[in-house]
Amino acid sequence: MSKTAWSETDSFQAAGLSFGAWAAVVAGLHLVLGLLLYEPTVFPGGDNADYMILGESLRSFEGYRDLHLPGSPVHTKYPPAYPTLLALLGWIAGVPLFKLASLALTTGTVWLTARWGQRLTGPVPALLAASLLAVNPVLLEYSHYVLSEALFTFLIMLCLITLEPGGMDRDRVDPGAANPEAVEHGAGWRIFALGLTAAALAFLTRTAGLALLIAVPVAAALARRSRHAVTAGLVTVATMAGWGLFQRAVAPDRASYLGQLVSRDPYDPAAGTINLAGLIERAALNAWTYVSEVLPASLTGSSGGSLLPWLGALMGSLALIGWASRLQRRVGPAEVFTVFYAGLIALWPSVWTDRRFLLPLLPLLIVYGLAAARTLLGHLSGGREASWARWGMAVLAVLLALPAARFVSTTVPERMACVAAYRTGTPCDPPAMASLYAAARWAAANTEPDAIIANRKPSLFFWFSGRQGDLYRYSTEPQLVLQGLEEMGAEYVVVDQVSGTTFRYLVPAIQEYRDRFQLVYEGGDPQTLIFRYTGAPVTAVRPEVAPEVAPETARVGSESVQAARHGQTGDGP
């Protein structure tokens, strides 16, 4: 970026406010919308409960353990950065504070996007990009989830703006300074250390952060900054090796991410693995799904419509043009990260093609897209910064923001009603999850404190019941499912309505060996069932286990299972 461009940014004024003030206003808009869209209920996915349980384990000085699993084993799936944050916040308050922390992080992401965009494309497109992100339905949704996406996206933007060429205001240094060469090549090692730390923390928040952790030394090498490249490379190797060695030492038999990457369907082990040709085909199909469906849905909040693929193609093309244009001038960590991360999510199993994985790329795609639009409008105006070109940018942003604004306007009343319902003890949980939570509360009052209960959402079930348990085995062989229950030490199993895997794997085992399962609870709408697993033929229900269940309901077999199966939902996340 030229010094002239910096001067334009510094002198930017609109309605008496500087660029920095407008960036704060846009971030404030996101904060207000996030509060209006606040959802007090627990996210039904289950990952949030995993994080909160890990935070509780750290806070109670029990180590980094899955307290909800039988035996409370050391956890090796999720890196520890986000649970550590929850552990610290948990000293002050619980779930509400966790949610507000997510909102603070997404608000910071909006502000960082404005500052990063200003360095790439100037103040007006940067503010438009930040405004689009501020009202983005996906970012607003994850602003109140106790999930790692908010922290992960914030750390990515913090790293990119810190390590961005020009990120240390190099272009503002007087060329006649004592050592301009040192400034140009990053004499500010403290700034570089901050960006590198953010990259390492991003990896320690989500393993997908390896795309950023690798992008930093690669970008430094491409920019011929050998000292930065070597330093970043050493930090990258040390961070990845440290987490990898911990996983290997604690759980050497645990399935690796590579194993999940080459699986056809992680929810169907019988489907087997995929070969190289299949991996390439999957990447192409996933890339098109992201462009034609996930990207436009993420921008608008809409999941249907004949125009969405065209909108996705338009925004995808503009983002690609903006990225390529940036690449022609200089290669920074953002450009390398975009390629690595996009490739990573394209290779992932198709069942995980989702907007949550696209979220870390959204700020970059929006900025790149508007940068390209600014360039194209500039060409149409004969290369001049004509006022109509800026108006064209504004019109484009408004057209993109209208669907998101409609999402906000229709969702706010619903969320406010849910907050009111939550205060009266009737939270707006999805019916299948409300039924599962009710079964968990029953288990808390009617089973032994050390009872092991197999179910599809073991961490959420533990959160509401305090009873340990694990997933039933994913196998279409009933004997293998029962073997898994024996190995787990399961005394109960839950037939839920939150996942199709329950009826694919667990229900056939119950039907095949119905004399080993004793119905002790059924309730909710849709219905959730709890069976006691005896491992031997059943004769009667123990009244001390389920005193309120009438003898005539203590039946086992297809009648109760088929009743529960009616209205089942699809696979959970």
Side-chain angles (χ1 to χ4, degrees):
M1 183 177 292
S2 66
K3 188 173 182 179
T4 303
W6 271 110
S7 300
E8 178 189 355
T9 301
D10 292 342
S11 61
F12 174 81
Q13 290 282 330
L17 296 179
S18 65
F19 177 86
W22 274 111
V25 168
V26 173
L29 169 65
H30 176 80
L31 178 63
V32 171
L33 291 177
L35 292 173
L36 291 175
L37 290 167
Y38 179 81
E39 192 173 44
T41 54
V42 176
F43 178 71
D47 290 352
N48 54 340
D50 288 327
Y51 287 121
M52 291 188 293
I53 291 168
L54 289 170
E56 176 62 28
S57 177
L58 291 171
R59 187 167 55 255
S60 58
F61 301 103
E62 297 187 49
Y64 196 55
R65 295 184 175 276
D66 287 315
L67 301 179
H68 63 287
L69 296 179
S72 300
V74 177
H75 184 85
T76 60
K77 181 179 180 182
Y78 300 133
Y82 186 57
T84 301
L85 175 63
L86 296 183
L88 296 174
L89 294 175
W91 289 106
I92 304 173
V95 175
L97 182 59
F98 299 161
K99 289 175 173 282
L100 290 176
S102 292
L103 178 56
L105 289 166
T106 57
T107 301
T109 297
V110 171
W111 185 83
L112 289 173
T113 299
R115 304 300 301 194
W116 182 72
Q118 124 191 25
R119 293 170 179 172
L120 266 71
T121 187
V124 175
L127 289 176
L128 291 178
S131 299
L132 284 175
L133 192 64
V135 301
N136 181 262
V138 181
L139 193 68
L140 285 169
E141 281 296 291
Y142 282 90
S143 71
H144 57 77
Y145 290 160
V146 187
L147 293 171
S148 61
E149 276 73 18
L151 176 61
F152 185 54
T153 307
F154 173 83
L155 288 171
I156 288 172
M157 294 309 301
L158 177 61
C159 172
L160 295 182
I161 193 172
T162 303
L163 301 183
E164 173 66 28
M168 289 173 284
D169 291 0
R170 287 190 282 270
D171 294 316
R172 301 173 75 177
V173 175
D174 183 357
N179 194 1
E181 182 70 15
V183 176
E184 174 62 24
H185 290 282
W189 279 92
R190 286 180 295 180
I191 298 295
F192 182 75
L194 173 62
L196 197 52
T197 300
L201 287 175
F203 172 79
L204 293 175
T205 299
R206 293 186 67 89
T207 311
L210 66 90
L212 180 64
L213 199 55
I214 296 175
V216 174
V218 169
L222 292 174
R224 298 182 179 179
R225 295 175 180 168
S226 56
R227 289 184 299 168
H228 283 182
V230 171
T231 301
L234 291 174
V235 171
T236 296
V237 170
T239 305
M240 295 177 63
W243 176 241
L245 289 173
F246 170 80
Q247 290 176 303
R248 179 66 61 181
V250 173
D253 298 328
R254 179 183 176 272
S256 66
Y257 273 94
L258 179 61
Q260 293 178 324
L261 179 67
V262 298
S263 66
R264 292 185 180 276
D265 184 350
Y267 298 112
D268 184 8
T273 58
I274 194 170
N275 56 25
L276 179 60
L279 202 61
I280 295 173
E281 180 182 2
R282 174 200 283 174
L285 291 175
N286 284 350
W288 174 243
T289 300
Y290 272 112
V291 171
S292 64
E293 298 178 20
V294 181
L295 175 59
S298 298
L299 291 172
T300 64
S302 174
S303 58
S306 58
L307 293 179
L308 283 186
W310 294 100
L311 174 61
L314 172 63
M315 282 303 298
S317 299
L318 286 174
L320 182 60
I321 293 171
W323 174 84
S325 176
R326 171 71 173 172
L327 207 63
Q328 290 179 341
R329 296 194 298 272
R330 64 198 312 176
V331 180
E335 287 68 47
V336 181
F337 166 74
T338 299
V339 175
F340 288 173
Y341 187 81
L344 179 65
I345 63 175
L347 289 171
W348 220 236
S350 299
V351 69
W352 288 336
T353 301
D354 187 72
R355 60 183 191 168
R356 68 182 293 192
F357 299 116
L358 185 65
L359 178 60
L361 277 184
L362 269 183
L364 283 72
L365 295 179
I366 292 174
V367 170
Y368 285 138
L370 290 183
R374 177 178 186 262
T375 300
L376 292 174
L377 289 170
H379 287 320
L380 290 175
S381 63
R384 300 183 302 274
E385 290 292 336
S387 60
W388 71 269
R390 292 193 177 186
W391 278 108
M393 284 284 301
V395 169
L396 175 63
V398 168
L399 290 176
L400 291 173
L402 280 177
R406 184 171 64 250
F407 163 82
V408 171
S409 63
T410 56
T411 308
V412 166
E414 298 176 3
R415 295 291 167 79
M416 295 182 71
C418 280
V419 171
Y422 184 85
R423 291 175 176 173
T424 62
T426 55
C428 297
D429 290 307
M433 298 306 301
S435 179
L436 180 67
Y437 300 158
R441 294 187 182 98
W442 178 89
N446 294 279
T447 63
E448 303 83 354
D450 59 350
I452 305 298
I453 304 178
N455 63 91
R456 179 59 179 82
K457 299 286 185 180
S459 57
L460 278 172
F461 198 87
F462 175 84
W463 189 257
F464 287 95
S465 69
R467 299 297 181 265
Q468 291 184 329
D470 202 351
L471 281 170
Y472 42 81
R473 180 172 291 178
Y474 282 3
S475 175
T476 55
E477 296 292 333
Q479 288 182 332
L480 294 180
V481 176
L482 261 63
Q483 180 183 341
L485 296 180
E486 294 285 349
E487 293 173 354
M488 185 194 313
E491 301 168 65
Y492 300 88
V493 297
V494 179
V495 176
D496 60 71
Q497 301 291 324
V498 302
S499 173
T501 60
T502 297
F503 288 89
R504 188 184 307 163
Y505 305 121
L506 180 60
V507 167
I510 295 175
Q511 293 175 328
E512 179 75 16
Y513 296 94
R514 62 188 63 185
D515 59 341
R516 302 188 184 188
F517 295 89
Q518 173 187 11
L519 181 67
V520 295
Y521 170 85
E522 58 180 329
D525 184 18
Q527 206 171 59
T528 297
L529 310 177
I530 298 180
F531 292 90
R532 172 185 281 274
Y533 174 62
T534 65
V538 175
T539 56
V541 176
R542 289 173 55 186
E544 69 272 19
V545 174
E548 69 270 34
V549 179
E552 62 268 22
T553 65
R555 60 194 183 281
V556 180
S558 60
E559 182 181 351
S560 296
V561 168
Q562 292 299 331
R565 190 170 195 165
H566 180 68
Q568 73 176 93
T569 62
D571 282 343

